[in-house]
Amino acid sequence: MRYWPDVVDAATAARWFDALREGAHWKHERRPMYDRIVDVPRLRAGYRLDDLPPQLPLADMLALVQARVPAPYTGVGMNFYRDGRDSVAMHHDKLHTLVPGQPIALVSLGGTRRMHIRALHGRRRTFALDLAPGSLLVMSHASQLTHEHGIPKTDAAVAPRMSVVFRARPD
C-alpha cells in the first residue's frame, strides 16, 4: 500500500467534492446481512470509465491517478459518507471481481476520515490512516490477500467525505 497525502490541491479537491455531491447518481442501497436486510451505511455511485458523465470531474481524477499509478482501470466506484454514522466494515476487495495484479486507487475528497488497515494473519495489528482531502491511497492486488480495511463509525463531528475508487475489472 502507498499513500500520497496531497496529490491534488485543496481548491480542486473541494470543487471535485461539490461537483460529485451534486451531480453523481447516488444510491441508497440495502443488502442481506445474516438473517435480515439492512441499510448500507453510506451512499454509493459508480460508472464504467468508457461511459463517464461529462459534467463530472471523473476523467480529470482518472488522469491524476494514471499519472501516479498507471493501470488498465475500467470503472470507478464512489462512497459518500454523510457523517460519522456512515461507515464501511472491515473487508478486503473480492479478488474474483478484479483483474489479477492490478492496483486499487482511492482518491479522498471532503472531510478527513480514519481508515483502519489490519493484517489478516500473524499478529493482526491494526494501523490507522487519516485519509485527507485530495489524497491518494493505492492498494496492490496482493494486499487484498494479506490485509483488510474499513472506515469505522465515529461519534466525533466529521465533515462529509467521499472515496472515489478506480479498479480494473475483468470483462
Side-chain angles (χ1 to χ4, degrees):
M1 295 183 198
R2 182 148 184 215
Y3 178 69
W4 291 273
D6 54 2
V7 296
V8 64
D9 64 90
T12 301
R15 275 195 315 277
W16 287 353
F17 177 87
D18 290 341
L20 291 172
R21 181 184 58 208
E22 300 305 319
H25 183 67
W26 296 107
K27 297 176 188 171
H28 173 261
E29 298 176 343
R30 295 178 55 80
R31 60 176 281 196
M33 184 175 282
Y34 306 112
D35 60 346
R36 58 194 170 125
I37 305 294
V38 299
D39 290 333
V40 172
R42 63 195 173 282
L43 300 179
R44 298 182 58 185
Y47 302 94
R48 290 192 47 81
L49 294 185
D50 60 5
D51 192 27
L52 292 176
Q55 73 277 14
L56 299 180
L58 296 168
D60 292 338
M61 296 175 80
L62 175 61
L64 175 106
V65 168
Q66 289 279 21
R68 296 270 177 152
V69 186
Y73 302 108
T74 58
V76 58
M78 299 182 293
N79 295 294
F80 186 16
Y81 302 89
R82 297 159 290 185
D83 57 32
R85 294 173 297 197
D86 283 352
S87 64
V88 63
M90 295 296 284
H91 69 284
H92 54 84
D93 284 42
K94 311 243 179 322
L95 293 180
H96 71 277
T97 69
L98 303 172
V99 173
Q102 299 304 322
I104 300 165
L106 185 153
V107 177
S108 288
L109 302 172
T112 298
R113 280 293 291 269
R114 178 159 289 171
M115 174 181 272
H116 288 174
I117 301 168
R118 180 172 57 207
L120 289 171
H121 309 289
R123 292 177 40 202
R124 293 186 48 91
R125 290 185 14 211
T126 298
F127 174 74
L129 175 63
D130 289 336
L131 298 172
S135 67
L136 173 63
L137 172 67
V138 175
M139 298 181 282
S140 71
H141 186 268
S143 73
Q144 302 307 302
L145 292 168
T146 60
H147 290 78
E148 58 186 357
H149 56 280
I151 304 287
K153 294 182 187 307
T154 179
D155 290 331
V158 293
R161 173 191 177 264
M162 276 176 217
S163 63
V164 181
V165 187
F166 294 91
R167 293 179 177 91
R169 301 228 188 251
D171 290 333

